[in-house]
Amino acid sequence: MAPSLEMGAAASTSSAASRVLSFTSTPRNLLHSPPPLLTKHPHPQVSCFPQKGFSNITHAFLGKALHALCLKGLLQLGTFYTNTLINMYSKFHNIEYARHVFDRMPDRNQASWNNMMSGLVRVGCYGEAMHLFRHMCDCGATPSSYALASLVTACDRSGCMPEGALQIHAYAVKCGLLSDVFAGTSLLHFYGAHSHVSEATKIFQEIDQPNIVSWTSLMVAYADNGYKKEVLNIYHNLRLQEVPFNQNTMSIVIRSCGMLDDRTLGYQILGDVIKSGLDTNISVANSLISMFGDFECVEEASCVFDNMLERDTISWNSMITASAHNGRCEESLGYLVQMRHAQMEINHITISSLLSVCGSVQNLRWGRGLHGLLVKSGLESNVCVCNSLMSMYFQAGNSEDSEFLFHTMPERDLISWNSMMACHAEDGKYSHAMQLLIEMLHTRKPMNYVTFTTALSACNNIEKLKIVHGLLILLGLHHNLIIGNALVTIYGKFGLMAEAQKVHKIMPKKDVVTWNALIGGHANNKEPNVAIKAFNLSREEGVCVNYITVVNLLSACFTSDDLLEHGMPIHAYIIRAGFELDTYIQSSLITMYAQCGDLDTSNYIFYALANKNSSTWNAILSANAHYGPGEEALKLFVTMRNGGVLLDQFSLSVALAIIGNLTVLDEGQQLHSLIIKHGFESNDYVLNATMDMYGKCGEIDDVFKILPQPRNRSQRSWNILISALARHGFFQQAREVFHEMVDMGLRPDHVTFVSLLSACSHGGLVDEGLAYFSSMTDEYGVPTGIEHCTCIIDLLGRAGRLAEAEAFIDKMPVAPNDLVWRSLLAACKIHGNLEVGRRAADRLFELDSLDDSAWVKLKNKVTSFGMGEQFHPQMTQINRKLDELRKIIKEAGYVADTSCSLQDTDEEQKEHNLWNHSERIALAFGLVNSPESSPLRIFKNLRVCGDCHSVFKLLQLSQLSVFPLLPVKIVYIAKPAEKAECYEVI
């Protein structure tokens, strides 16, 4: 390199000198005059050469010309001039020339080493810079604080030399340079950037006279590592000391304030910005726009934006992001149009911010338009944009498009893989998510805590959970705080609270999320005492309680005893701690009192609220739907809508569930129309609730009309379809749908097997049902529930295998309830097994019995009847209609099956008792009050007896042929949980 440089410099002497000649117009004087005469040269960069050397040279050709003159011996090149020459070549990125000059220096001083190291860092030769530093130390030279700061920057930017920074730190301590503001600040910035906040704080304390850059670096370290309050504490201290802020300091303060959502302080900071004159600075204004966007104050953000004298791309992106994050889709798109008219550069941040607000059914058309724009702009290959597109399509319910994008991306990063895994997990495609994890492991893709928290959420059985937990231990990620929190949560969901406690115990760090996960796990597993104990322990350890902690505690209360022992004291704590105004806690209080049997207090809390919002309305709606009369809950929904409360997917889904339970089809159809009007028909939760409503109302055709295509069905969609088919007698089709679901890669869950086993029971598919029950736990890892056991008892009982049914009850992993004994008793009655029947009856009498009642909806009013009803005001007309019906079906050949009457009376009384069954009374009431050709739907909360079943069938025949006297269409629908017969009589 040396010969070529000298030859190049010498060869360029004439050409470079000629340019200097023309440039200076005094060539002879420049070439032959001694250096002092250069001071009179007309070119300022030449005239200052004797004092400044090459320091002021701004044109590379002029510097090379002067260097050529030095090589010719016309100018003397001492140590000072050589040092400035090294700096000049570094400045022009001619690092090879700089290194050549440095290597040929006969005498080097400290500045020579420092300039060369700084030059290497400037052009990105970080490894060479560190090698030169070590060589300098070996030669006994001492680097300056500027050089050390430059070397620390090299270690930071290289991304692979953290040990170098540690060596520099040690050297700074040894040489006493740690207190220097330049060296100390650079080390402070390095440790902050690598999340070593405590070390950064220690270094800051060593700096003798920290300047505003030092303070700003400390603020950045705190802000980037989540210590936003510390940033604001520094800000307050600097204000008291009247330290002037620069734009970088103010920007980080504004950003931290926005993240803390402290609006009062935000306006104070705005005042300081205006007072200091920094409001005209672009970076400060951009930060203000982002802060007001975080505050949901889009008007204020817009005001800052509109008053900016100058805007850059970040300004436009900040305004678009503020609008998009506050759900203002069309407004954010308007800024995009203005941005394009202003001919500003549209980058991946612009598009990604806009895509974030298009992830809904209503806004998907805008998202597709943006997709076209980014293709036109050449941004379709940008990995960040592709990730945003994947997220948008999935959130809008287009999982197929999201998956297609993932597989066709030219480049995928870790976010791409994690996002696709999350899409599969949220869509119920757990096997697909796990397959991606396996692929990442096989191809040695980089993984992080997000990868494994997503994988944990995709563990739909204990076996997979144990495997993923083992991988975490193997990879050394099990001590990560977020992963530990996820493990505690997922073990709690599986009911393995002992495992959850083990994970919690060995976690090296715990935060409020950790304790909330543990408390929530105990609450969900109905362990209120242990949940309270965990709560008290967290307070002893100084954990700051938040609203989630309180919500979890409230959800631990299920019974009236829980309410007295825990619920009311928690309510008192809420008031004492000042949580009573929190919306989520208000909603949870409403739910807690209702599920503990005190719906009156729930209603009292709700109506006493000064400010009711969608959350509290949804809470009281759900409370009345689950724990009160369905008709009252439906009235609440109407009141909610008439009051202008914003209806969301939750309120619509609850209303659909109420209608389905009441089997009021007319109201269901009206609500379906409202759902379409508001654009919720494609929302997964609402769609599934609509399908379920039609299924419960006996409209199987309508279920198929709105059923999504197989690849777009969620887990719940499959479950509802299987349930609807089983309820309507399509038993073989229910089995086929189950196998189609499994073939699509979805794992059946608790609900799936309830519907499937019910289909087998009613379809007489005994062996198939037993095989499904066996595979439920062995193959699919679904824990056995009481509902599954009831189905098996019913399955065996209908087949007459009563001994097996009784033996099954003895071996059940869950305690039998009244439904189990009712199923066995009904089977004993059918098959005449008095001995087993007596034992079943004895066990049943030990438990609380349920009401034997029917409901019938007529003229927008639901009327309830119990067995032997005598007090209805229309009882005379009802009895007359019953006599008429009895006469009709007796002429059709009806003979009462008195074995369905369990009372010990004579045959005549038994037949009389049968005609007092609630479903017959409800039918007569409906016939008395219904116009011709109108549908009459009867809802029964218990199993229909065999004789009532026969009566309804005979009425069907009478209506169609022999006795066309019945003016209405009769639809009988039993409560699905009771596995009753269900059929339609026309």
Side-chain angles (χ1 to χ4, degrees), residues 684-685 688-689 691-692 714-721 751:
D684 190 55
Y685 296 99
N688 289 327
M691 288 170 53
D692 194 41
S714 65
Q715 179 98 22
R716 182 161 168 73
S717 298
W718 287 97
N719 289 346
I720 289 170
L721 179 58
V751 178

Side-chain angles (χ1 to χ4, degrees), residues 521-749:
H522 287 303
N524 293 335
N525 286 281
K526 299 185 178 181
E527 299 173 351
N529 293 330
V530 191
I532 295 295
K533 183 179 178 181
F535 169 68
N536 291 332
L537 187 58
S538 71
R539 294 181 68 194
E540 289 174 9
E541 295 197 4
V543 176
C544 185
V545 174
N546 62 17
Y547 76 94
I548 298 176
T549 319
V550 179
V551 168
N552 284 340
L553 282 173
L554 291 170
S555 68
C557 303
F558 294 92
T559 67
S560 56
D561 290 340
D562 293 339
L563 180 62
L564 290 172
E565 186 177 355
H566 303 302
M568 290 182 174
I570 295 170
H571 193 171
Y573 167 79
I574 288 169
I575 296 171
R576 190 169 65 251
F579 281 115
E580 73 273 15
L581 297 180
D582 184 277
T583 297
Y584 298 102
I585 292 177
Q586 290 171 348
S587 302
S588 297
L589 277 169
I590 291 169
T591 303
M592 186 268 292
Y593 276 103
Q595 69 186 12
C596 289
D598 191 355
L599 185 60
D600 289 341
T601 300
S602 292
N603 288 320
Y604 175 80
I605 292 172
F606 173 76
Y607 288 111
L609 293 176
N611 298 310
K612 303 178 180 70
N613 57 18
S614 295
S615 176
T616 50
W617 269 103
N618 287 340
I620 196 64
L621 180 65
S622 180
N624 280 273
H626 288 95
Y627 307 105
E631 315 88 81
E632 294 302 317
L634 197 54
K635 289 177 184 177
L636 263 176
F637 176 77
V638 174
T639 305
M640 180 179 179
R641 186 194 169 201
N642 293 341
V645 181
L646 182 66
L647 301 179
D648 57 18
Q649 62 185 29
F650 184 85
S651 50
L652 292 169
S653 299
V654 171
L656 286 164
I658 296 167
I659 289 169
N661 290 334
L662 292 174
T663 64
V664 284
L665 180 61
D666 290 343
E667 283 78 359
Q669 291 170 334
Q670 292 171 21
L671 182 55
H672 191 187
S673 299
L674 182 68
I675 286 166
I676 295 171
K677 180 180 177 181
H678 286 280
F680 279 98
E681 70 274 14
S682 298
N683 180 276
D684 190 55
Y685 296 99
V686 177
L687 174 63
N688 289 327
T690 308
M691 288 170 53
D692 194 41
M693 180 272 294
Y694 278 124
K696 290 177 178 176
C697 289
E699 302 296 324
I700 189 68
D701 291 339
D702 286 330
V703 173
F704 279 100
K705 284 179 184 177
I706 62 175
L707 179 69
Q709 291 298 312
R711 289 186 62 84
N712 294 331
R713 288 177 204 161
S714 65
Q715 179 98 22
R716 182 161 168 73
S717 298
W718 287 97
N719 289 346
I720 289 170
L721 179 58
I722 294 170
S723 175
L725 289 168
R727 185 183 292 116
H728 290 275
F730 301 104
F731 309 124
Q732 194 61 41
Q733 290 92 324
R735 292 183 62 218
E736 291 171 2
V737 169
F738 169 78
H739 290 291
E740 184 184 3
M741 170 187 171
V742 173
D743 292 341
M744 292 290 292
L746 275 78
R747 301 282 291 192
D749 59 11

Side-chain angles (χ1 to χ4, degrees), residues 104 463 478 516 589 638 696 712 955:
R104 294 302 182 91
E463 181 183 359
H478 59 298
N516 286 347
L589 277 169
V638 174
K696 290 177 178 176
N712 294 331
L955 287 172

Side-chain angles (χ1 to χ4, degrees), residues 855-969:
W855 288 281
V856 58
K857 190 257 183 178
L858 192 66
K859 295 179 180 177
N860 297 320
K861 183 178 180 182
V862 176
T863 306
S864 175
F865 294 95
M867 182 175 177
E869 179 71 49
Q870 295 295 327
F871 301 105
H872 193 276
Q874 289 183 278
M875 213 55 228
T876 302
Q877 297 165 277
I878 292 171
N879 287 330
R880 192 181 300 125
K881 179 59 69 174
L882 286 172
D883 291 339
E884 181 184 340
L885 293 176
R886 187 186 305 190
K887 179 181 177 182
I888 290 172
I889 61 173
K890 278 197 173 183
E891 291 179 4
Y894 164 72
V895 176
D897 180 5
T898 55
S899 65
C900 295
S901 179
L902 301 181
Q903 290 90 349
D904 187 14
T905 60
D906 57 38
E907 291 299 306
E908 184 178 353
Q909 182 62 43
K910 285 185 177 181
E911 183 176 353
H912 176 76
N913 292 341
L914 289 173
W915 281 91
N916 277 327
H917 281 189
S918 57
E919 53 264 55
R920 301 191 200 191
I921 299 172
L923 171 61
F925 169 78
L927 293 173
V928 167
N929 293 279
S930 298
E932 291 188 7
S933 302
S934 63
L936 174 63
R937 287 177 171 80
I938 299 170
F939 174 78
K940 184 76 161 60
N941 73 329
L942 290 176
R943 186 188 309 276
V944 63
C945 81
D947 190 66
C948 287
H949 195 116
S950 300
V951 167
F952 275 69
K953 283 185 175 179
L954 284 169
L955 287 172
Q956 176 187 27
L957 293 173
S958 301
Q959 186 174 4
L960 291 175
S961 56
V962 184
F963 300 102
L965 302 177
L966 301 178
V968 297
K969 180 168 66 175

Side-chain angles (χ1 to χ4, degrees), residues 219-453:
M219 286 180 173
V220 171
Y222 283 135
D224 289 349
N225 290 280
Y227 299 98
K228 308 296 187 301
K229 290 185 178 179
E230 293 299 325
V231 175
L232 299 179
N233 288 338
I234 294 173
Y235 164 71
H236 289 305
N237 290 334
L238 291 178
R239 283 189 71 203
L240 292 174
Q241 297 174 30
E242 298 184 350
V243 176
F245 299 108
N246 61 24
Q247 66 268 22
N248 295 328
T249 315
M250 195 58 76
S251 295
I252 195 67
V253 169
I254 294 168
R255 192 181 82 185
S256 299
C257 183
M259 292 180 177
L260 286 173
D261 198 23
D262 190 336
R263 300 190 184 193
T264 303
L265 180 59
Y267 285 106
Q268 292 177 2
I269 293 172
L270 176 62
D272 285 348
V273 168
I274 296 171
K275 183 179 178 181
S276 64
L278 289 171
D279 53 317
T280 58
N281 181 272
I282 293 181
S283 63
V284 173
N286 293 343
S287 298
L288 283 170
I289 294 169
S290 298
M291 179 187 75
F292 283 120
D294 291 336
F295 292 164
E296 301 180 1
C297 300
V298 183
E299 286 74 18
E300 284 84 345
S302 179
C303 182
V304 174
F305 179 80
D306 292 340
N307 284 286
M308 291 179 71
L309 300 177
E310 184 182 353
R311 304 184 187 113
D312 58 10
T313 299
I314 298 174
S315 311
W316 288 95
N317 288 347
S318 299
M319 194 62 236
I320 288 171
T321 302
S323 300
H325 286 183
N326 286 281
R328 301 190 180 193
C329 181
E330 295 189 12
E331 189 174 315
S332 59
L333 290 168
Y335 281 112
L336 173 66
V337 174
Q338 295 178 46
M339 184 179 182
R340 296 184 72 191
H341 286 165
Q343 297 184 340
M344 299 298 296
E345 179 191 0
I346 295 174
N347 57 24
H348 68 280
I349 298 174
T350 318
I351 300 295
S352 297
S353 298
L354 287 164
L355 290 172
S356 68
V357 78
C358 296
S360 67
V361 176
Q362 297 91 332
N363 296 335
L364 181 58
R365 60 193 178 102
W366 301 113
R368 292 193 185 280
L370 289 169
H371 193 169
L373 176 63
L374 66 91
V375 171
K376 183 179 178 181
S377 305
L379 290 170
E380 76 276 11
S381 60
N382 182 281
V383 68
C384 296
V385 171
C386 289
N387 292 339
S388 299
L389 271 173
M390 282 172 53
S391 177
M392 178 202 72
Y393 279 120
F394 177 74
Q395 290 171 4
N398 288 37
S399 56
E400 280 188 342
D401 288 344
S402 182
E403 191 169 358
F404 175 80
L405 264 172
F406 174 76
H407 290 297
T408 56
M409 285 173 68
E411 179 189 357
R412 301 178 201 139
D413 61 6
L414 181 57
I415 296 174
S416 313
W417 288 90
N418 289 346
S419 297
M420 195 67 247
M421 280 183 66
C423 289
H424 285 319
E426 290 179 30
D427 214 20
K429 298 177 180 178
Y430 304 122
S431 60
H432 289 60
M434 297 306 289
Q435 189 60 45
L436 283 181
L437 177 66
I438 293 169
E439 187 177 344
M440 292 178 77
L441 288 167
H442 282 170
T443 56
R444 299 185 180 276
K445 299 284 184 188
M447 292 179 283
N448 62 3
Y449 70 90
V450 178
T451 314
F452 281 98
T453 51

